[in-house]
Amino acid sequence: MSIDVGALREEVKAFRKTLQDNYAQDGNALALLRARSAQVDSVLTRLWQAQDFPATLTLAAVGGYGRGELYPASDIDLLILLPQEPNTPLQEKLERLIGHFWDIGLEIGLSVRTIQECLDEAGNDITVQTALLEARLLTGNQKLFSTFQKRLHGNLDPLVFFEATRLEQQERYLRFNETPYSLEPNCKESPGGLRDLQIVLWVSKAAKLGDNWKALAQNGLATAFEVRQIQRNEALQLQIRARLHLLAKRREDRLIFDLQTAVAEAFGVACAAARDLDNAVRWYRRAVAANDGSASVKSSEQLANLLARLAWERVAPPRRAGKKDPDLAQRIAQGRDDIQTAIGLLQALVTVCPTLERESLLGSAFKRLHRLELVAGQASAAAQAVQQMATDCAAARAPSRRSRCG
């Protein structure tokens, strides 16, 4: 089967313009994301079927695209699932497919893996694991996709998963609480942003407590009021991120100086006359903290962390009370103390090195922490990691490095 790639390119271009026009009229960000996701589904399915791939392969959407939330300038994350390693003819077909993606004008983030490779990558990287948790079948072998999902969820330990997401969140908070990020907050990654809300649903999904806000309320993890609050905040963040992409005409998740006035004014905040950028940022922070401006309402960051913790506690007690290891709970607690010590050392590092070097050391340290199975009671391994980070801090302060870290 042949397909006109040029016609597909024009279709994608025309539909993108239609989406922007519709959004300008109704301001419905979620409808924008869903519509773009559905249109890309259609284009990719037709393109896949035209390549005459073996019936044993599967094409799946992952990450935000797998959730059906495709922002105007976001990458389209795909997984091609293989039953076994590809032979040369199949590799050549896959290369042609990738070329067609670019010809059509789609920015694709593509992984080509077997099920075992997916499990291995997920075990080594929490960001891969969370992206795969959002996987959605587009076309291809349903049985292979079902097997993949079954094994992925079967390998997922809720306690290990929670610790890994918590460590990733702490590392992210350290980075995005830096002064530049404070002046140009990131609506996806900054504390209280979309990523914090996504973590709640990932943790609750891993704990089999639901994968949407309504399910969390039904399972007693949140009150109806809290669910309404977090849904309003999520809707606002969706609007801000979608508008940033459209205004910047590229992927831009930061409320950068050049766009702060335009975004704030779109939400009725008067700041253009005097170009009051401080007013725009204050508006954003108030909006994230509480949509109604009330100090009695939990901030998005606080509420997200609370719900994630509640989901974890639902599955933690049975595992921590195991008869085979009566000292497990105590050693887990010690491991957590070690983690807090590590966080303190990393924060101390902020005053030692400039941004690039600091981020390198932070990344290295947190990779070590990510690999620890603290919920299995490996407090000694945690202590070793902390000691290594202390060594890093000491080395950063050494006279030989003052020229770079002073």
Side-chain angles (χ1 to χ4, degrees):
M1 180 191 301
S2 62
I3 193 166
D4 188 340
V5 174
L8 279 181
R9 181 174 59 250
E10 291 304 313
E11 178 184 331
V12 169
K13 184 177 179 181
F15 194 77
R16 184 180 293 124
K17 178 66 166 57
T18 299
L19 288 177
Q20 292 177 7
D21 291 343
N22 291 343
Y23 179 68
Q25 292 178 3
D26 60 28
N28 190 331
L30 186 58
L32 169 70
L33 308 187
R34 298 283 193 231
R36 182 171 186 240
S37 180
Q39 194 251 355
V40 171
D41 285 358
S42 173
V43 170
L44 292 178
T45 299
R46 282 178 281 158
L47 188 59
W48 177 271
Q49 293 172 348
Q51 305 307 305
D52 193 28
F53 282 109
T56 54
L57 272 61
T58 297
L59 179 66
V62 295
Y65 177 38
R67 269 195 318 276
E69 297 177 0
L70 196 53
Y71 286 84
S74 287
D75 290 345
I76 300 163
D77 293 327
L78 295 174
L79 169 66
I80 296 178
L81 204 54
L82 309 175
Q84 57 195 18
E85 292 294 329
N87 55 28
T88 300
L90 179 55
Q91 285 180 331
E92 293 174 352
K93 278 192 174 184
L94 292 171
E95 290 171 2
R96 283 197 297 272
L97 178 67
I98 294 170
H100 289 327
F101 289 154
W102 290 105
D103 292 340
I104 291 172
L106 299 177
E107 295 189 16
I108 301 291
L110 180 65
S111 298
V112 182
R113 297 180 179 132
T114 63
I115 292 178
Q116 188 57 51
E117 287 172 339
C118 287
L119 298 179
D120 292 342
E121 289 295 324
N124 292 328
D125 190 335
I126 185 61
T127 61
V128 173
Q129 189 171 33
T130 53
L132 293 178
L133 281 176
E134 306 279 15
R136 175 171 58 88
L137 177 67
L138 293 176
T139 186
N141 193 293
Q142 171 71 61
K143 184 177 180 180
L144 181 65
F145 184 74
S146 297
T147 301
F148 155 73
Q149 286 197 308
K150 184 177 180 180
R151 291 189 61 188
L152 178 69
H153 288 274
N155 275 26
L156 195 156
D157 184 318
L159 298 179
V160 173
F161 182 77
F162 176 80
E163 293 290 350
T165 55
R166 189 171 67 91
L167 288 171
E168 184 278 333
Q169 183 186 56
Q170 290 173 331
E171 185 271 341
R172 179 164 48 83
Y173 279 13
L174 282 173
R175 286 189 291 116
F176 285 94
N177 273 333
E178 290 290 321
T179 300
Y181 293 112
S182 299
L183 297 176
E184 296 183 320
N186 188 306
C187 64
K188 179 183 177 183
E189 303 286 358
S190 291
L194 286 166
R195 179 65 78 218
D196 281 351
L197 303 183
Q198 290 161 0
I199 284 177
V200 177
L201 294 179
W202 289 334
V203 171
S204 61
K205 186 175 184 178
K208 296 181 172 58
L209 295 172
D211 59 0
N212 59 71
W213 304 119
K214 184 178 179 180
L216 263 63
Q218 291 173 341
N219 283 301
L221 293 178
T223 65
F225 174 78
E226 287 172 333
V227 166
R228 287 195 300 272
Q229 179 191 346
I230 209 164
Q231 285 177 323
R232 285 195 300 268
N233 187 281
E234 181 180 46
L236 176 64
Q237 299 272 22
L238 291 176
Q239 289 278 13
I240 293 173
R241 191 180 181 204
R243 198 168 290 275
L244 280 170
H245 281 214
L246 292 173
L247 288 170
K249 296 182 173 59
R250 64 179 187 275
R251 179 175 178 173
E252 182 57 80
D253 299 329
R254 298 167 300 155
L255 201 61
I256 59 176
F257 294 128
D258 291 345
L259 299 179
Q260 285 177 1
T261 296
V263 172
E265 286 184 325
F267 291 90
V269 180
C271 57
R275 193 169 176 79
D276 187 356
L277 298 183
D278 286 342
N279 192 33
V281 175
R282 283 198 302 272
W283 159 78
Y284 173 80
R285 297 199 180 285
R286 284 197 304 268
V288 171
N291 283 280
D292 62 359
S294 170
S296 65
V297 179
K298 295 184 184 73
S299 72
S300 177
E301 176 188 349
Q302 290 173 326
L303 186 53
N305 289 333
L306 172 63
L307 294 178
R309 170 64 65 175
L310 289 173
W312 177 81
E313 288 177 351
R314 288 290 186 91
V315 295
R319 296 292 301 276
R320 291 158 70 183
K323 295 181 180 179
K324 294 183 179 180
D325 190 354
D327 299 325
L328 179 59
Q330 181 179 353
R331 293 193 288 116
I332 291 173
Q334 180 61 53
R336 290 201 183 105
D337 288 342
D338 289 332
I339 285 295
Q340 293 306 315
T341 301
I343 297 300
L345 288 169
L346 293 175
Q347 289 172 330
L349 197 60
V350 168
T351 61
V352 178
C353 293
T355 301
L356 290 178
E357 185 168 359
R358 179 168 65 251
E359 289 187 354
S360 174
L361 286 171
L362 286 173
S364 175
F366 270 99
K367 282 181 181 179
R368 286 196 291 273
L369 286 172
H370 273 304
R371 291 190 174 93
L372 300 177
E373 296 181 2
L374 291 179
V375 295
Q378 295 183 3
S380 60
Q384 292 174 8
V386 171
Q387 182 59 47
Q388 182 59 52
M389 281 182 281
T391 302
D392 289 344
C393 288
R397 293 188 176 91
S400 62
R401 301 182 66 173
R402 281 178 183 167
S403 60
R404 287 183 290 161
C405 301

